[in-house]
Amino acid sequence: HAAIARSGGMAPPLAVFFSLAATRRCCLPRLSPPPKATALEKMHWALLEYAKRESGSDVAKSFVVPQQTAWPEELWGMELGKAVDAARTLEALASDDEAKLQDSLFQKDRDHPSLPRLSRTPWGKRLTAIGFDWKDAKEDRKYRILVGALEAYVKEHGDAVLPRNFKVPKREPYPPETWGENLDHKLYNFKFYRENVAAYPDRQAELRDLGFVWERLQPEFNLVVQALRVFKAREGHLKVPTSFVVPTLETDDDDDDPWPVGTHGMPLGRLCVQIRSRNDFVAGDLDKWKQLNDLGFPFVAPQTTEKSLLDEALDRYRDLYDADEPPLTFVVPPHDENWPRRLRGFELGKRRYYAKRRSDAAHLNRNLIDRRFDTFARALTAFVHLHGHADVPQKFVVPSDTFWPRDCRGMPLGQRVAHIRSKGYYVQHSDTDPRAQRRKQILDELGFLWHKNKKRQKNRPQKKNPHHHHHQQEQQRVPA
């Protein structure tokens, strides 16, 4: 406070100062801080020098006073941008604290004095006199643009409950700066609230009037837990269908909507699948895992699948009708006591027909993979026979000469080899699939390199000249 008190005195009037800066910039005398100036006084003089050159006080956060003769030597190296940003942050915090004091309940419970408003100190008044803006103009513009997009959405849809991953349409009345942006992610996150709303009571009131969904600011995991609790209360279990999305009721009565407004539009089924398959939200967090486990969340996919129902219905059909296959139009009678309640109304004929079609298609696909692998294996065998190794260059393409099998010519052999290494082509599930095990065994016998060597062996046999040994190649044939 003593330092601020020593910085008394009025700066040159704003209009006079900027008119001089605009008309006689080169002739203005260089301003210098007092010999024993405090840090606040130096900041004041640095802003004067900056305003003289830039005609404003909107200093970039990264700006540092350069070591140039145009600037007073006492200010060289001063991080003016960070100082201005800190002053604006303190002013915003004090403004928020002042707003809280207006609440009598809050004032009764507080045990510390209120924060001083820097703009009202003698030093702050001097900054205001030279045109210093205590609000961050850039951040204020960012806030205005995003809220303008939210206002346009509210006018079109009647509420501020943005769908998940809502992309701003490329049309009016949405601000052009937001076209194509994910408005849901930009507005409903805590960073936006902390930087643009928390310290501004007027903005909080503005968003409240728009119907801003404050619940969406909390972590997504909290909303998932809320939605799971409602689902369990309604359905009696947590076997959430994959396609389930939390509904949005078209009603103004909150009592008719059991779902928290922050969960509206949430793809709860897809999120449950991601928790089971990828450990989303719970990876490395035992507390979250325990929270879901205590709720009864099935970390293993429910066993009552369509396949299990189909197998059970088919066994029951064979027992009752002494037949192997049901007609295509057969439907389990909805009121037949001979059938379990969960199977009544089950379209057994149609489900069995499509299941057989999928099985036949999978069998044909496996046969097709086998045929393609056999062609690849013949090409790789020829390469090993010719070069003495299986380290195929990635750009290698089987040439069109008589040495190579006819159906292999033109094959991008190098790319196929790279795909086997990186993506597991032909050998996926080799630990459980006998066909994939056979393919892997063939590749191992050919000396397939499962991990690419960066440095090739110096003693590797050199590639033979096909034209030099053309008469020998005509006599050679690839083993079957």
Side-chain angles (χ1 to χ4, degrees):
H1 291 284
I4 294 175
R6 289 197 301 269
S7 63
M10 293 300 296
L14 183 63
V16 175
F17 180 80
F18 283 123
S19 64
L20 288 174
T23 58
R24 301 181 59 191
R25 184 183 303 271
C26 63
C27 300
L28 280 175
R30 190 179 70 179
L31 300 175
S32 297
K36 296 183 179 180
T38 64
L40 297 180
E41 290 173 332
K42 287 184 178 180
M43 176 182 170
H44 171 257
W45 289 105
L47 278 173
L48 285 176
E49 287 290 336
Y50 186 89
K52 181 175 68 174
R53 288 163 175 76
E54 304 296 335
S55 298
S57 59
D58 189 14
V59 186
K61 189 174 181 179
S62 59
F63 179 78
V64 178
V65 176
Q67 297 183 8
Q68 299 175 357
T69 56
W71 287 83
E73 187 174 352
E74 297 87 345
L75 303 177
W76 287 0
M78 179 181 181
E79 296 180 333
L80 183 59
K82 290 185 178 180
V84 169
D85 181 68
R88 285 172 171 159
T89 301
L90 291 174
E91 174 69 13
L93 291 174
S95 175
D96 183 52
D97 191 63
E98 185 178 70
K100 290 180 179 179
L101 274 175
Q102 298 176 2
D103 189 342
S104 58
L105 294 177
F106 184 84
Q107 188 174 12
K108 179 181 178 181
D109 296 335
R110 69 185 294 132
D111 56 357
H112 58 83
S114 60
L115 298 175
R117 292 286 296 272
L118 297 185
S119 60
R120 296 175 184 172
T121 63
W123 169 74
K125 292 178 180 179
R126 295 178 67 185
L127 291 181
T128 304
I130 64 171
F132 180 74
D133 188 359
W134 290 95
K135 292 184 179 180
D136 191 337
K138 181 179 179 181
E139 289 299 322
D140 183 69
R141 172 171 168 76
K142 175 183 176 182
Y143 169 82
R144 283 286 128 220
I145 291 174
L146 291 178
V147 172
L150 182 62
E151 290 174 344
Y153 180 88
V154 171
K155 289 180 180 179
E156 284 191 0
H157 301 274
D159 59 58
V161 186
L162 294 171
R164 257 69 178 176
N165 301 316
F166 174 75
K167 296 293 182 65
V168 178
K170 296 181 179 180
R171 55 177 172 80
E172 298 292 344
Y174 294 95
E177 296 89 344
T178 64
W179 289 357
E181 293 287 343
N182 192 322
L183 189 60
D184 169 49
H185 285 185
K186 288 186 174 298
L187 277 176
Y188 288 126
N189 69 77
F190 196 74
K191 182 180 179 181
F192 168 80
Y193 173 78
R194 184 180 66 249
E195 296 180 352
N196 301 279
V197 181
Y200 303 96
D202 54 334
R203 294 181 179 181
Q204 296 175 22
E206 180 182 16
L207 292 176
R208 196 177 299 113
D209 293 340
L210 283 173
F212 190 82
V213 184
W214 302 99
E215 293 89 340
R216 291 273 286 273
L217 292 175
Q218 60 183 308
E220 187 76 357
F221 176 76
N222 295 355
L223 297 174
V224 171
V225 171
Q226 293 179 19
L228 286 174
R229 286 173 177 162
V230 176
F231 186 92
K232 185 176 182 179
R234 292 171 61 86
E235 305 296 334
H237 59 81
L238 286 179
K239 299 175 183 178
V240 185
T242 305
S243 58
F244 180 79
V245 177
V246 175
T248 302
L249 298 184
E250 300 294 336
T251 176
D252 295 332
D253 189 358
D254 294 339
D255 296 335
D256 294 339
D257 185 5
W259 300 94
V261 66
T263 66
H264 286 182
M266 174 186 289
L268 186 60
R270 177 169 58 82
L271 292 176
C272 289
V273 172
Q274 292 174 355
I275 291 174
R276 282 192 288 265
S277 60
R278 304 188 316 194
N279 287 330
D280 282 11
F281 304 118
V282 299
D285 195 326
L286 185 60
D287 292 336
K288 290 182 179 179
W289 184 92
K290 188 176 184 302
Q291 187 175 359
L292 290 179
N293 189 60
D294 294 343
L295 190 61
F297 182 82
F299 284 95
V300 178
Q303 297 300 316
T304 306
T305 61
E306 181 176 346
K307 183 178 184 304
S308 63
L309 289 176
L310 177 60
D311 292 341
E312 183 182 0
L314 188 59
D315 291 340
R316 188 62 177 166
Y317 175 85
R318 290 169 178 170
D319 291 341
L320 291 176
Y321 297 94
D322 194 21
D324 290 335
E325 297 294 334
L328 178 61
T329 58
F330 179 81
V331 178
V332 176
H335 305 292
D336 192 341
E337 297 293 337
N338 293 319
W339 291 85
R341 185 179 300 275
R342 62 180 173 277
L343 295 178
R344 297 175 189 175
F346 188 75
E347 297 177 331
L348 179 58
K350 185 185 298 184
R351 301 291 181 87
R352 174 62 175 168
Y353 171 75
Y354 286 119
K356 289 183 64 178
R357 286 191 59 181
R358 288 194 297 268
S359 177
D360 294 341
H363 180 71
L364 291 174
N365 185 51
R366 287 195 296 268
N367 291 338
L368 178 61
I369 293 176
D370 282 338
R371 290 197 297 271
R372 289 179 177 175
F373 175 78
D374 291 340
T375 304
F376 164 79
R378 287 198 300 273
L380 184 60
T381 302
F383 184 93
V384 172
H385 190 70
L386 179 61
H387 297 274
H389 60 82
D391 189 7
V392 185
Q394 188 167 358
K395 295 183 180 180
F396 180 81
V397 178
V398 175
S400 300
D401 59 52
T402 55
F403 170 75
W404 299 86
R406 186 180 301 276
D407 56 346
C408 299
R409 298 170 189 173
M411 175 190 295
L413 186 61
Q415 290 184 7
R416 300 281 177 87
V417 170
H419 288 166
I420 293 177
R421 287 197 193 103
S422 61
K423 302 179 181 179
Y425 280 10
Y426 302 130
V427 295
Q428 289 181 344
H429 310 294
S430 59
D431 53 341
T432 57
D433 186 359
R435 298 192 181 199
Q437 291 176 0
R438 181 187 71 86
R439 299 181 200 126
K440 188 176 185 301
Q441 182 180 0
I442 292 174
L443 293 177
D444 288 337
E445 292 174 354
L446 289 172
F448 187 84
L449 300 179
W450 296 100
H451 301 284
K452 179 70 173 177
N453 293 329
K454 297 294 183 181
K455 296 181 180 179
R456 302 197 173 198
Q457 301 176 4
K458 295 182 179 180
N459 58 353
R460 175 175 295 164
Q462 299 294 323
K463 179 180 178 181
K464 299 179 181 180
N465 188 336
H467 299 287
H468 181 69
H469 299 282
H470 180 70
H471 64 284
Q472 297 180 6
Q473 296 176 6
E474 287 291 341
Q475 299 175 0
Q476 295 174 341
R477 286 296 178 267
V478 179

